């Protein structure tokens, strides 16, 4: 019978203890992320004016902006009943805009917590600061996805049909875009000292990203400099798959769908239409980079 010396037994005890510590830290980190995520959700749910405002804002854009310019823009693709009108064109963009506005704006809670001393109490807790950043990002992405989902109820107003299968396809893309923009918002808010400063910087960054993503205009006939900005804008690749999936689900003829890229309703690079998989990969890469940056910035000691 093989006997185990005291040194070997002690080594096993040390290894077991180290594994237990790592497991405990992992559980604590996951728990911290969950608590911060839940706090963001409760904060959103209890703020009823915010929910009402997030519903009315896209409705105003659809009814006022969409209807007001539909006559001037005319039919973008096809003829008669098979055309894609301007209201249908911007509907996916309105969904994306609602998601992205909410994702970026939600990061103001981080500045609020810093300004009123709540963040200091969180950061002294025995959890990773990266968990705080990830929890804030995850909460912001969830809230933004829910706010974007509210826009679905306006689809019949512009003649858009949303099936349960289409909604299930849109949700992951909406969440991915929300996660990327929420990560950017947390990165911007990580070193901000006042809510006013964050709001100014947020608007300065947000509006160019939104308006240069093809939400409100087709991507053909643009000035060369604007075409470059649209294609280097990561938000463009979050809007593109939403528009592509929604328009393709409307039962348009194959020849109309084939003219998507030619008419500027779908994003293209180097003359080649960008596929949904490429869109998702670009947005995911941008989101990961922004989340790593947010974790690093919030980890810097004050």
């Amino acid at each position: 019978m093989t006997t185990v010396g005291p040194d070997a037994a002690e080594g096993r005890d040390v290894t077991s203890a180290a594994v237990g510590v790592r497991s405990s830290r992992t559980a604590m980190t996951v728990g911290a992320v969950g608590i911060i995520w839940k706090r963001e959700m409760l904060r959103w749910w209890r703020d009823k004016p915010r929910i009402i405002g997030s519903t009315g804002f896209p409705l105003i854009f659809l009814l006022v902006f969409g209807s007001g310019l539909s006559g001037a823009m005319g039919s973008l693709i096809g003829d008669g009943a098979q055309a894609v009108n301007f209201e249908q064109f911007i509907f996916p963009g309105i969904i994306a805009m609602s998601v992205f506005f909410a994702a970026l704006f939600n990061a103001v809670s981080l500045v609020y917590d810093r300004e009123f001393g709540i963040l200091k109490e969180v950061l002294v807790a025995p959890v990773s600061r990266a968990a705080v950043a990830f929890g804030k990002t995850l909460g912001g992405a969830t809230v933004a996805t829910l706010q974007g989902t509210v826009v679905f109820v306006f689809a019949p107003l512009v003649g858009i049909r949303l099936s349960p299968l289409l909604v299930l396809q849109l949700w992951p893309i909406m969440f991915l875009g929300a996660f990327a923009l929420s990560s950017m918002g947390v990165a911007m808010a990580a070193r901000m000292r006042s809510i006013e400063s964050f709001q100014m910087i947020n608007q300065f960054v947000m509006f160019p990203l939104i308006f240069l993503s093809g939400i409100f205009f087709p991507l053909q006939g643009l000035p060369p400099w604007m075409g470059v900005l649209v294609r280097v804008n990561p938000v463009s690749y979050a809007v593109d798959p939403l528009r592509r999936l929604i328009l393709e689900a409307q039962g348009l003829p194959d020849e109309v769908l084939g003219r998507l890229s030619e008419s500027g309703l779908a994003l293209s690079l180097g003359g080649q239409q960008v596929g949904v998989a490429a869109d998702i990969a670009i947005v995911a890469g941008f989101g990961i980079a922004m989340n790593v940056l947010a974790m690093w910035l919030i980890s810097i000691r004050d």
Side-chain angles (χ1 to χ4, degrees), residues 86-197:
F86 184 65
E87 291 171 326
Q88 293 172 329
F89 170 77
I90 68 169
F91 180 76
I94 297 299
I95 295 175
M97 185 180 67
S98 299
V99 171
F100 303 152
F101 266 104
L104 280 170
F105 178 79
N106 193 75
V108 74
S109 65
L110 184 64
V111 187
Y112 177 92
D113 290 346
R114 181 188 295 276
E115 188 170 355
F116 291 93
I118 301 173
L119 183 61
K120 186 175 182 179
E121 297 180 6
V122 174
L123 294 179
V124 298
V127 295
S128 170
R129 291 191 173 200
V132 177
F134 188 74
K136 285 283 186 181
T137 299
L138 199 61
T142 306
V143 167
T145 303
L146 290 174
Q147 291 192 193
T149 303
V150 174
V151 184
F152 290 173
V153 302
F154 304 132
L157 298 179
V158 295
I160 293 290
R161 298 185 301 275
L162 296 177
S163 65
L165 177 60
L166 178 59
V167 171
L168 291 177
Q169 292 175 319
L170 295 176
W171 271 338
I173 297 175
M174 291 165 59
F175 183 82
L176 181 62
F179 183 84
L181 271 293
S182 182
S183 298
M184 174 184 280
V186 172
M188 291 191 302
R191 310 310 301 169
M192 293 288 176
R193 298 292 178 178
S194 68
I195 296 175
E196 293 79 9
S197 298

Side-chain angles (χ1 to χ4, degrees), residues 209-234:
L209 290 177
I210 295 297
F211 286 105
L212 289 173
S213 62
I215 285 179
F216 299 111
F217 52 82
L219 303 178
Q220 68 172 2
L222 298 177
W225 64 269
M226 186 177 290
V228 171
L229 292 178
V230 167
R231 284 161 177 80
V232 300
N233 180 5

Side-chain angles (χ1 to χ4, degrees), residues 29-59:
T29 299
V30 173
V33 171
I35 290 172
I36 294 172
W37 173 86
K38 183 178 179 180
R39 181 170 179 264
E40 295 299 310
M41 297 301 298
L42 289 175
R43 172 180 285 176
W44 172 74
W45 179 249
R46 292 170 179 171
D47 193 354
K48 295 303 187 288
R50 177 181 174 186
I51 298 176
I52 296 172
S54 66
T55 304
F57 186 67
L59 181 61

